[in-house]
Amino acid sequence: MALAYRERYGEDPAGCWRAPGRVNLIGEHTDYTGGLVLPLAIDHACYVAAGPAPGTRTTVGTLWGGDDGPPPPVSFEAGHIVPGDLTGWAAYVAGVVWALRERLGDVPGPPALNLLIDSEVPVGAGLSSSAALECAVAVAVTALVRDVDPEGPARDLTPLDLALVAKRCENDFVGAPTGYMDQLASMLGRPGHLLYLDTRSLTWEHVPFDPAAGGLQLLVIDTRAPHALVDGEYAVRRATCEQATRMLGVGALRDIGVADLVGVLARLPQEMMRRRVRHVVTENERVRAVVALLRAQGDLRALGPLLNASHDSLRDDFEVTVPHLDVAVDAARSAGAVGARMTGGGFGGSVIALVDADRSEAVATAVREAFAGRGFAPPAVFPVSPGAGAGRLS
Ligand code: GLA
């Protein structure tokens, strides 16, 4: 990164930073209703080399791109950028600069920056490539602001603050109404641990998770089905949950216990809304059950039924799966996976499968064959393990 930066900008960067993508083990579509989630930061990360630049324009270049190679660099006035000024990939960078300015006020920072970005997190795979980009930019730019003004307000920004800056970018600059999980997982991930996050109190606990110790592996199956959160369905799910919360007069859907579910659902007017709420309530319960199992340090194979039930609920009650996801899950289960479910927002993206390590090739083959049989493009299958959250590389 440093070398490519030097070639492009003619001097060494002030530093290089990274932030990972994430996989969610369980707790899906609960993070915008005050619920519980259990993600892990993965080894695939986004990288940012950055330094101060002459003049007033911040320039962002990338080393990654699609088949046509990297897109051309984009530049903007860091001191004046506001939502609506930029769209596309550069909005995830400019939006963080904007959100940081909103958070800090007009503090002295470098008036202009040069940034160079690369990423290993596949775009559109439901692995939070956007949160990885936002968090990598947030840690990089904050470090440069601190360099200029070591005693200023940037000094006291915590990893949680930076995750919230990144989330603000996603919600208010890019315009995707996502919840808390992705940016907090990217900032707060810890090797060998899951992040057990309460999205109402914004408190968390790192829970040890070591599938390899039990002879298991966590596989990601990137279905390569197209997915887009900015398109309406995600926002519709969120709006339905918010409407149900108001109708039921509860502070958050997580206040409803499974024992009360039948009575609560009877108070909702539509069948569709009842199913959405049932998903959220049962999913929070499944997260609690998974955490209880992990704390008890029993056989991780006991997680299988909970992972499976999560997928089935997302398919039948929340209706966010698509054929690619269901086919991958069914094929993985038939080939002997301990449990398999979609991960992330749905409507495409990835599946996770917890498998016996010696079955992992058989599961991958079964999914590839099932995809070929349905005429789907081949999926990408790879193992993941919990990695570190965002930070400085050099
Ligand atoms: C997307 C969003 C997250 C979360 C998941 C579903 O990944 O960005 O905030 O809502 O969907 O759990």
Side-chain angles (χ1 to χ4, degrees):
M1 282 301 289
L3 199 65
Y5 183 100
R6 167 169 265 287
E7 271 168 23
R8 183 170 297 222
Y9 297 115
E11 60 184 10
D12 288 332
C16 294
W17 292 261
R18 73 176 275 289
R22 65 97 189 90
V23 151
N24 189 19
L25 186 70
I26 198 162
E28 217 66 85
H29 284 277
T30 54
D31 71 337
Y32 47 81
T33 57
L36 306 169
V37 294
L38 195 62
L40 52 136
I42 59 176
D43 324 318
H44 300 62
C46 177
Y47 300 87
V48 175
T56 57
R57 288 191 80 76
T58 286
T59 302
V60 195
T62 81
L63 296 174
W64 100 102
D67 295 340
D68 306 331
V74 170
S75 72
F76 57 89
E77 295 275 341
H80 298 109
I81 188 100
V82 288
D85 284 356
L86 273 175
T87 56
W89 67 272
Y92 295 91
V93 179
V96 169
V97 172
W98 165 78
L100 205 50
R101 216 179 63 218
E102 290 275 299
R103 176 70 175 72
L104 292 174
D106 276 330
V107 293
L113 306 171
N114 286 326
L115 299 141
L116 187 62
I117 294 165
D118 202 357
S119 186
E120 306 158 337
V121 190
V123 173
L127 303 176
S128 292
S129 59
S130 62
L133 173 54
E134 290 155 354
C135 291
V137 171
V139 286
V141 174
T142 303
L144 295 180
V145 171
R146 284 176 181 150
D147 282 351
V148 172
D149 185 17
E151 299 304 317
R155 188 191 62 181
D156 301 323
L157 289 178
T158 62
L160 173 62
D161 293 330
L162 294 187
L164 296 178
V165 162
K167 178 180 186 286
R168 177 111 202 259
C169 160
E170 180 94 31
N171 294 161
D172 299 337
F173 200 97
V174 176
T178 52
Y180 287 97
M181 172 169 65
D182 306 344
Q183 291 81 10
L184 270 75
S186 182
M187 283 302 305
L188 301 168
R190 179 181 289 179
H193 290 76
L194 300 164
L195 181 76
Y196 179 31
L197 171 68
D198 179 328
T199 66
R200 178 162 59 187
S201 60
L202 294 186
T203 53
W204 62 88
E205 179 190 327
H206 288 103
V207 181
F209 179 62
D210 185 5
L216 298 175
Q217 219 175 33
L218 188 63
L219 288 183
V220 168
I221 301 160
D222 171 6
T223 67
R224 299 210 162 114
H227 105 144
L229 286 184
V230 189
D231 293 342
E233 285 297 319
Y234 181 95
V236 171
R237 294 298 178 287
R238 184 173 176 145
T240 302
C241 289
E242 284 165 358
Q243 202 188 346
T245 306
R246 281 193 300 274
M247 285 176 143
L248 293 169
V250 288
L253 293 183
R254 67 88 70 72
D255 291 332
I256 305 165
V258 265
D260 306 324
L261 197 51
V262 173
V264 167
L265 295 185
R267 288 165 46 209
L268 291 172
Q270 300 154 4
E271 162 65 9
M272 180 271 285
M273 192 180 265
R274 288 197 283 271
R275 284 189 286 120
R276 303 293 188 256
V277 171
R278 185 166 60 193
H279 165 72
V280 174
V281 171
T282 57
E283 185 76 351
N284 281 322
E285 195 56 27
R286 284 184 286 271
V287 177
R288 290 190 190 95
V290 166
V291 170
L293 278 167
L294 292 171
R295 284 188 183 137
Q297 296 182 348
D299 186 351
L300 291 186
R301 284 175 187 81
L303 300 180
L306 291 161
L307 300 180
N308 290 341
S310 169
H311 183 84
D312 297 352
S313 174
L314 288 156
R315 182 191 58 212
D316 302 334
D317 276 354
F318 219 65
E319 295 181 284
V320 292
T321 70
V322 290
H324 284 73
L325 294 168
D326 295 330
V327 167
V329 162
D330 290 345
R333 289 181 191 168
S334 303
V338 169
R341 60 177 292 273
M342 57 154 275
T343 188
F347 308 110
S350 291
V351 157
I352 50 168
L354 189 64
V355 299
D356 280 298
D358 58 7
R359 293 292 300 160
S360 104
E361 208 32 64
V363 167
T365 303
V367 176
R368 282 191 203 103
E369 282 172 6
F371 270 41
R374 294 289 295 255
F376 298 161
V381 185
F382 50 92
V384 286
S385 49
R392 188 170 192 138
L393 274 181
S394 60

